[in-house]
Amino acid sequence: MTTQTQVQESQKAPGRGMTAVAAAVLWALAGTAGAATAPKVVSGPTPYRVSSDCAVCHGMRGASTDYDVIPRLAGQHKAYLVMQLQQYRDGHRADQNGNIYMAPVAQSLTNAQIDALASYFSAQRPRMQASGVHHAGAAAGKAIFTNGIASEQIPACMACHAANAQGMGTFPDLAGQRYRYIVQQLTYFHNGTRQNALMGQIAKNITVPQMKEVAAYLSSL
Ligand code: HEC
Ligand code: HEC
């Protein structure tokens, strides 16, 4: 029941996002029409693809905070980014926002392009960091992260995501990730629309208030 509420809440996001994307596309079209206002092509080590395909949503450095369901990518582990991009491309990460926003951009990526994009975003500094916006429940969230809730079969998140929440390899860095994005992903794992054997099991028993608490803690790091 509470999960239902969360899912409904989340459905507002694509609408807002789509408007923004449409606006950005219009802006980009307007830019190409008048050569004087055309955005500069980024040269050097930055993959051109980032500016053409990713920056509108994630920002050039993977740190955009324009839309709260769009994750930070700056400094995220390369192996994790590679895996997620492959999953979007191959249709394995097929949660609602993934389908709407990421499947279209990921579908044509080659493994070499995925590798380059993941290298680029994982190398961006500063890495993900707290936005300074405080959400209620961070103390309770820290307790869940550190100890889990044994009586409700919720394992300690720290066991896999590390004591500092920075993860490793294909275990994602969660420290400083965005509040709303974290709540959304826990919802997807909980309802099974984002499939992962480990996280599906972990999120099975977590309630919406607990998701928000743990997100309040993680986004504050
Ligand atoms: C239209 C907006 C949009 C564009 C363009 C876009 N993204 Fe995303 N991206 C999103 C959203 C929204 C999500 C979260 C989707 C979800 O909930 O599964 C996301 C998720 C991701 C993730 C998963 C991160 C994580 O922590 O699990 C990666 C990696 C990613 N994007 C990389 C890219 C790259 C690389 C590009 C360019 C090739 C790109 N994105 C273009 C909106 C966008
Ligand atoms: C047994 C190991 C394990 C434990 C314990 C664990 N996680 Fe995870 N977590 C993972 C793995 C692996 C992934 C990547 C899943 C994928 O590739 O889709 C992940 C992904 C996530 C993500 C998505 C991050 C992103 O950028 O999209 C969130 C949020 C998350 N975990 C939160 C938690 C929370 C909160 C807890 C504690 C209640 C927890 N995890 C406990 C292994 C674990």
Side-chain angles (χ1 to χ4, degrees):
M1 169 103 177
T2 36
T3 303
Q4 189 63 29
T5 316
Q6 186 60 41
V7 170
Q8 278 166 1
E9 259 180 41
S10 77
Q11 282 168 350
K12 288 182 201 150
R16 283 171 47 209
M18 285 308 276
T19 318
V21 171
V25 168
L26 289 176
W27 176 82
L29 289 175
T32 1
T37 54
K40 270 199 179 145
V41 172
V42 180
S43 58
T46 305
Y48 168 69
R49 193 168 277 273
V50 173
S51 61
S52 63
D53 289 5
C54 319
V56 61
C57 293
H58 291 283
M60 269 314 281
R61 294 177 172 276
S64 171
T65 53
D66 289 350
Y67 306 105
D68 56 9
V69 293
I70 297 184
R72 292 189 172 164
L73 306 175
Q76 182 58 275
H77 306 296
K78 181 180 171 185
Y80 173 75
L81 294 175
V82 166
M83 196 173 165
Q84 300 311 305
L85 288 168
Q86 288 174 343
Q87 288 189 354
Y88 285 127
R89 179 190 63 192
D90 302 340
H92 294 142
R93 183 167 168 185
D95 53 67
Q96 188 184 49
N97 287 347
N99 272 337
I100 295 172
Y101 299 100
M102 281 304 298
V105 284
Q107 65 184 359
S108 61
L109 295 176
T110 63
N111 284 339
Q113 287 167 334
I114 286 179
D115 198 77
L117 288 164
S119 287
Y120 169 82
F121 282 115
S122 68
Q124 295 308 306
R125 295 294 180 269
R127 56 172 292 283
M128 301 194 286
Q129 54 188 329
S131 62
V133 179
H134 296 288
H135 299 273
K142 182 176 185 177
I144 297 174
F145 186 83
T146 313
N147 307 317
I149 307 177
S151 61
E152 299 176 31
Q153 277 126 49
I154 299 171
C157 319
M158 195 175 93
C160 294
H161 292 280
N164 57 8
Q166 292 184 7
M168 186 188 276
T170 55
F171 294 84
D173 186 347
L174 303 175
Q177 188 52 283
R178 312 205 61 209
Y179 173 82
R180 178 72 188 285
Y181 173 76
I182 294 172
V183 174
Q184 185 63 73
Q185 297 312 304
L186 291 171
T187 306
Y188 287 149
F189 285 126
H190 177 82
N191 66 26
T193 50
R194 177 173 173 184
Q195 294 185 349
N196 177 264
L198 296 175
M199 279 308 298
Q201 197 59 31
I202 300 292
K204 204 172 67 177
N205 296 323
I206 199 164
T207 65
V208 172
Q210 288 163 346
M211 290 177 190
K212 290 182 173 171
E213 287 164 359
V214 85
Y217 171 63
L218 292 169
S219 64
S220 77
L221 295 177

